[in-house]
């Protein structure tokens, strides 16, 4: 099963590729897209999905939301990285470079000396969108040689976010502009391109690693584990309970966009399903009180070389279970009551649960859980798979925990 996770990682260099893959897998199982600008009807209640840019929301068994509420698993499709700016072509001496913008909070040093590809989507003049992935590595951000930076190992690497991150991708002998290259990638002429979005990605494939093959290493483990696990649980479930996955873009930059968890998309989909089922506004609001949400995003496993960064009683280990994340200041939405469906599902699925709470002297991260809970008033619990190297271009997790997350979410969807 873990191999399907590796396939998912390799197929999804951008949030839009995640949405494309999830959409194709849903359709292969008979679940059809409902266009966001189309009326929802009773035909759409049994199953369906909507897409808005890098966000996708899919559901099953929405006929009985009014009576039973709905169980939702939320995750995020985006990852921190380097996006290509408009008019990116720059020439320094005889090097041809691209201007990039930092997206979210990547570990910048991890992007050096990597064989980088470029992936994204192009919107054509007729409004259609075409995804692309460069078939081979095309760019690299070379680190300065130690002979020219003698103190780097002792004083640490300091990267200037503007000057030190531009990849090289050609010499002046090459005259093709970025947009001309882009047009080639989608087999069109530059004049037919209305707009585009492109980002760098590591071309090294996801891999199993370790003496006993216990680890997965890849880009975008945060948060493709949760996207893959949520989708797998939804597709595998034969329960007739209402269930939904909401995979949001823009988490890494704070979720405040029309497609992000801070936008109205989930709320609108829930209300439209409810009204397609004939419920009144007050029945819809009541259904939210009967609903529950799992916000699935990765957690920090304890690092053997930096044990002091965790509080010892709440330090998760890789391959020892799914983590429940708690924060008294509500950076995570978990409450003693909201965790109960997950505790019950874990016991049914035979999955171990671990706990994470941050040290008082280290700021706690956050994710979509508290945003969903605040917007919709749905009881929410924050959970996730423990990993190392979060926000590195090459992250690491266990091989057991992702599989456990699928089992846990499967039970969560199926049981009351
Ligand atoms: Zn994340």
């Amino acid at each position: 099963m873990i191999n399907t996770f590796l396939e998912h990682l390799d197929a999804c260099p951008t949030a839009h590729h995640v949405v494309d893959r999830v959409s194709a897998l849903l359709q292969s199982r008979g679940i059809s897209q409902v266009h966001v600008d189309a009326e929802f009807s009773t035909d759409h209640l049994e199953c369906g999905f909507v897409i808005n840019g890098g966000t996708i929301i899919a559901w099953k068994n929405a006929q009985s939301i009014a009576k039973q509420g709905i169980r939702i698993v939320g995750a995020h499709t985006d990852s921190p990285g380097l996006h290509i700016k408009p008019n990116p072509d720059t020439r320094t001496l005889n090097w041809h470079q691209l201007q990039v913008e930092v997206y979210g909070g990547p570990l910048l040093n991890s992007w050096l000396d990597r064989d980088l590809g470029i992936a994204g989507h192009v919107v054509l003049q007729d409004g259609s969108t075409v995804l692309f992935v460069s078939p081979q590595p095309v760019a690299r951000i070379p680190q300065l040689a130690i002979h020219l930076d003698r103190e780097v190992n002792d004083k640490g690497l300091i990267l200037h976010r503007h000057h030190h991150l531009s990849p090289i991708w050609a010499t002046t002998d090459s005259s093709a502009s970025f947009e001309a290259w882009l047009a080639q990638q989608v087999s069109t002429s530059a004049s037919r391109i209305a707009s585009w979005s492109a980002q760098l990605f590591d071309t090294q494939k996801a891999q199993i690693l370790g003496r006993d093959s216990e680890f997965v290493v890849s880009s975008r483990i945060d948060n493709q584990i949760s996207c893959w696990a949520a989708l797998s649980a939804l597709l595998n479930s034969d329960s007739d309970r209402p269930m939904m996955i909401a995979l949001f873009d823009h988490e890494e930059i704070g979720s405040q966009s029309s497609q992000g968890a801070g936008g109205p998309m989930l709320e609108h989909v829930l209300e439209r399903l409810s009204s397609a089922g004939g419920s009144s506004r007050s029945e819809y609001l009541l259904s939210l009180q009967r609903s529950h949400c799992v916000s699935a995003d990765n957690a920090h496993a304890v690092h053997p070389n930096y044990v002091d960064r965790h509080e010892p009683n709440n330090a998760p280990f890789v391959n020892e279970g799914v983590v429940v994340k708690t924060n008294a200041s509500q950076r995570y939405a978990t409450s003693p009551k909201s965790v109960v469906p997950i505790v019950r599902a874990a016991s049914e699925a035979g999955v171990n649960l671990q706990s994470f709470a941050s040290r008082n002297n280290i700021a706690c991260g956050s994710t979509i859980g508290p945003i969903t809970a605040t917007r919709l008033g749905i009881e929410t619990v924050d959970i996730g798979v423990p990993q190392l190297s979060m926000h590195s271009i090459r992250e690491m997790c266990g091989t057991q925990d992702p599989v456990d997350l699928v089992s846990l979410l499967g039970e969560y969807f199926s049981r009351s």
Side-chain angles (χ1 to χ4, degrees):
M1 183 181 208
I2 197 69
N3 286 331
T4 66
F5 174 44
L6 271 63
E7 281 165 26
H8 176 85
L9 286 163
D10 289 339
C12 297
T14 77
H16 282 247
H17 288 83
V18 178
V19 167
D20 190 56
R21 178 176 167 83
V22 170
S23 147
L25 290 168
L26 288 165
Q27 288 182 79
S28 75
R29 301 287 280 270
I31 302 177
S32 311
Q33 181 174 0
V34 188
H35 289 278
V36 267
D37 55 358
E39 193 77 48
F40 283 19
S41 72
T42 46
D43 294 346
H44 298 129
L45 295 176
E46 188 186 340
C47 60
F49 67 92
V50 291
I51 290 174
N52 181 3
T55 296
I56 183 165
I57 296 178
W59 61 87
K60 282 164 72 173
N61 313 321
Q63 304 93 327
S64 43
I65 291 183
K67 238 191 256 163
Q68 303 185 65
I70 190 165
R71 292 221 161 154
I72 305 165
V73 175
H76 66 89
T77 55
D78 60 329
S79 299
L82 300 174
H83 289 211
I84 313 282
K85 283 182 179 173
N87 304 313
D89 298 293
T90 313
R91 191 174 290 184
T92 307
L93 304 174
N94 69 330
W95 295 107
H96 207 122
Q97 294 178 281
L98 297 170
Q99 289 295 321
V100 294
E101 182 172 356
V102 179
Y103 177 85
L107 279 171
L108 295 175
N109 63 299
S110 70
W111 285 75
L112 305 180
D113 298 340
R114 289 280 167 174
D115 306 336
L116 301 170
I118 300 175
H121 63 278
V122 166
V123 183
L124 300 177
Q125 297 283 359
D126 64 7
S128 60
T129 298
V130 189
L131 298 182
F132 72 92
V133 180
S134 64
Q136 60 193 49
V138 288
R140 178 180 164 102
I141 311 167
Q143 186 168 357
L144 192 59
I146 193 160
H147 315 82
L148 307 179
D149 194 7
R150 290 279 183 195
E151 295 179 322
V152 65
N153 285 339
D154 300 317
K155 296 203 168 165
L157 177 66
I158 295 174
L159 292 169
H160 188 287
R161 291 163 78 88
H162 190 72
H163 294 307
H164 295 160
L165 297 177
S166 299
I168 57 172
W169 80 318
T171 64
T172 46
D173 293 332
S174 164
S175 56
S177 69
F178 179 74
E179 292 208 0
W181 177 86
L182 200 56
Q184 278 173 9
Q185 303 308 303
V186 295
S187 308
T188 190
S189 62
S191 63
R192 286 193 62 220
I193 295 179
S195 187
W196 51 267
S197 168
Q199 60 197 72
L200 299 171
F201 72 97
D202 190 355
T203 55
Q204 189 176 0
K205 301 279 188 211
Q207 197 161 298
I208 302 286
L209 174 148
R211 185 189 60 195
D212 301 316
S213 303
E214 290 173 86
F215 311 115
V216 177
V217 287
S218 173
S219 293
R220 303 176 299 277
I221 284 177
D222 170 17
N223 189 306
Q224 291 315 309
I225 283 184
S226 307
C227 292
W228 166 81
L231 176 67
S232 305
L234 183 91
L235 292 179
N236 295 345
S237 175
D238 54 11
S239 164
D240 58 5
R241 293 182 56 85
M243 61 186 80
M244 175 176 272
I245 60 172
L247 311 180
F248 292 108
D249 201 355
H250 296 158
E251 190 273 343
E252 298 292 357
I253 49 166
S255 298
Q256 299 305 309
S257 73
S258 68
Q259 304 141 42
M265 192 171 163
L266 177 58
E267 192 177 340
H268 287 180
V269 169
L270 287 171
E271 185 161 3
R272 290 173 67 189
L273 284 171
S274 179
S275 107
S279 296
S280 66
R281 170 87 181 157
S282 90
E283 285 168 326
Y284 161 66
L285 293 175
L286 184 60
S287 76
L288 297 183
Q289 299 308 310
R290 293 175 174 153
S291 298
H292 187 272
C293 177
V294 163
S295 157
D297 199 356
N298 294 1
H300 298 294
V302 65
H303 191 308
N305 299 348
Y306 301 89
V307 174
D308 63 340
R309 301 305 163 98
H310 277 74
E311 190 262 288
N313 291 352
N314 293 289
F317 298 109
V318 160
N319 284 334
E320 293 201 9
V322 175
V323 179
V324 175
K325 299 185 266 183
T326 310
N327 181 254
S329 305
Q330 296 299 298
R331 302 280 294 163
Y332 298 126
T334 309
S335 76
K337 190 153 171 267
S338 71
V339 77
V340 171
I342 279 299
V343 170
R344 287 168 58 171
S347 138
E348 292 291 339
V351 168
N352 189 43
L353 293 179
Q354 310 186 71
S355 67
F356 175 79
S358 62
R359 288 176 68 92
N360 293 337
N361 60 337
I362 296 180
C364 184
S366 191
T367 180
I368 59 169
I371 299 168
T372 314
T374 305
R375 268 202 81 96
L376 294 172
I378 295 180
E379 221 169 47
T380 302
V381 59
D382 272 293
I383 65 168
V385 164
Q387 70 158 106
L388 294 178
S389 308
M390 192 181 283
H391 290 196
S392 166
I393 200 169
R394 196 82 179 157
E395 301 180 321
M396 175 174 176
C397 66
T399 48
Q400 186 56 45
D401 301 321
V403 177
D404 280 356
L405 183 62
V406 175
S407 311
L408 179 67
L409 295 178
E411 283 297 331
Y412 169 74
F413 275 146
S414 305
R415 309 249 166 194
S416 57

